[in-house]
Amino acid sequence: MLAYMARRLAVSIPTLLLISMMVFSLQLLLPGDPALAIAGEERSPEVLAAIREMYHLNDPVPVQYWHWLTGVLSGDMGQSIRSRMPVTELIMTKLPVTLQLATMAMIIALAIGIPAGIVSAVRKGTAWDVGANVVALSGISIPNFWLGIMLIMLVSVQWGLLPASGYASPLEDLSRNLQTMIMPAFVLGTGIAAIMMRHTRSAMLSSLRADYVRTARAKGLSERVVVLRHALRNALIPVVTLGTLQLGELLSGAVLTEQIFTIPGFGKLVVDAVFNRDYAVVQGVVLFTGTAFILMNLLADMLYFLLNPRLRA
């Protein structure tokens, strides 16, 4: 397993380097002079010259990239223009919020999507199958922002069961934290659950037609054992890919959902940084997101190794 993961890691390193180049090029593609954005209202020639010298803006682009990359590798992603806080500190502040939201959304997606996909495949052609497909199609079709607004109007305004927006730290008030996070997590989780249900159903239908499932039934094994122990284990391989990619997407920040529910996560951080032309924050969040996607792919490869005996052989 170590050799297999080492090979996958060796492929990931050049990918990370390419991502870092693309992230650095963001500030070169954006209009305007970064020194003017950093200086703010103080735009005397002396201040602008000092800023260009401090941030190596007068150096050639490869030299600027080298200075930026060495800073990133040492944990220094620069400083926010707006708040004057280190970008690394800003990311670490928002990371627990986004991580909790992504985890809760993925738990909801797994709890709904995989069982619904299994039932739909096993009961193919029945009312269970039709109902599951209708619900899945609805989950894929309904936009997250519309569902979020409808939940706020119904659950918060009409029924008064949950707060409409806001965020409370779990360290300060766990009950309030769960109340404020359950609706945005449900909005994100239902959309992913619909996609996972469709993939699980397709993979299960393929597995249930396989020879090893026919052999397991011929041995007299119960249908529950055949479905859960033999068919589901092989059907989970494509679902693992989907789940890890969806988790990586959630970690990058759900912009619309976080804006609707005013959740202070990565999505809101990126929106605020773009509007304020805070280049360093945008670069830091995008770099973190790309790294998260690569780590999710490595996690998927590790799960492949555990689920697929042929890789272990």
Side-chain angles (χ1 to χ4, degrees):
M1 180 177 179
L2 292 178
Y4 173 75
M5 293 307 300
R7 288 196 300 269
R8 302 303 301 169
L9 186 61
V11 175
S12 302
I13 293 175
T15 307
L16 274 173
L17 188 62
L18 180 62
I19 290 174
S20 70
M21 294 179 182
M22 295 176 65
V23 168
F24 178 77
S25 66
L26 285 175
Q27 70 174 12
L28 303 177
L29 297 175
L30 291 173
D33 186 357
L36 293 175
I38 296 173
E41 297 180 359
E42 185 62 43
R43 297 187 176 184
S44 64
E46 294 79 10
V47 172
L48 293 177
I51 290 174
R52 291 191 176 96
E53 182 68 25
M54 179 186 301
Y55 291 95
H56 310 284
L57 298 178
N58 294 323
D59 295 337
V61 173
V63 177
Q64 293 183 39
Y65 170 72
W66 173 252
H67 284 295
W68 178 79
L69 182 61
T70 52
V72 169
L73 293 176
S74 63
D76 180 14
M77 293 186 180
Q79 190 180 63
S80 170
I81 299 173
R82 183 183 182 186
S83 64
R84 301 299 176 184
M85 290 177 59
V87 175
T88 306
E89 185 177 335
L90 275 175
I91 291 177
M92 290 298 105
T93 302
K94 306 297 183 182
L95 179 59
V97 181
T98 298
L99 192 60
Q100 181 190 2
L101 181 60
T103 303
M104 291 177 65
M106 187 53 64
I107 290 173
I108 292 173
L110 292 174
I112 298 174
I114 292 182
I118 295 172
V119 171
S120 179
V122 174
R123 306 291 184 183
K124 181 184 177 183
T126 65
W128 289 98
D129 185 24
V130 175
N133 278 283
V134 169
V135 173
L137 185 60
S138 301
I140 295 172
S141 304
I142 296 175
N144 285 344
F145 71 88
W146 186 87
L147 180 59
I149 293 172
M150 291 299 104
L151 283 178
I152 289 175
M153 293 178 61
L154 184 64
V155 178
S156 300
V157 178
Q158 296 260 346
W159 297 343
L161 298 177
L162 294 171
S165 61
Y167 174 78
S169 171
L171 299 179
E172 297 175 359
D173 190 342
L174 180 59
S175 176
R176 178 72 177 179
N177 171 262
L178 294 177
Q179 289 175 11
T180 56
M181 294 293 278
I182 188 64
M183 275 204 298
F186 181 80
V187 168
L188 294 173
T190 50
I192 298 174
I195 302 173
M196 295 195 74
M197 177 268 164
R198 299 287 296 174
H199 279 73
T200 304
R201 179 183 185 274
S202 177
M204 281 294 296
L205 287 174
S206 178
S207 294
L208 290 172
R209 290 193 295 263
D211 291 337
Y212 61 85
V213 172
R214 191 178 299 112
T215 303
R217 284 173 173 156
K219 290 180 179 179
L221 298 177
S222 66
E223 188 65 15
R224 181 176 182 180
V225 172
V226 170
V227 171
L228 297 181
R229 184 175 298 178
H230 295 274
L232 179 60
R233 183 169 184 177
N234 289 275
L236 282 178
I237 293 177
V239 178
V240 164
T241 304
L242 175 67
T244 52
L245 291 178
Q246 291 292 335
L247 182 57
E249 184 176 342
L250 288 173
L251 289 175
S252 66
V255 176
L256 290 176
T257 304
E258 290 184 7
Q259 287 291 108
I260 291 171
F261 291 97
T262 61
I263 302 295
F266 276 167
K268 195 170 187 308
L269 178 64
V270 170
V271 170
D272 293 342
V274 169
F275 276 111
N276 292 293
R277 299 177 66 185
D278 205 338
Y279 305 129
V281 174
V282 175
Q283 286 177 329
V285 174
V286 173
L287 182 62
F288 180 87
T289 300
T291 306
F293 266 101
I294 290 181
L295 291 177
M296 290 300 102
N297 278 320
L298 287 175
L299 177 62
D301 292 334
M302 189 181 301
L303 293 175
Y304 284 162
F305 194 89
L306 297 176
L307 291 172
N308 194 342
R310 289 174 293 182
L311 290 177
R312 296 197 294 270

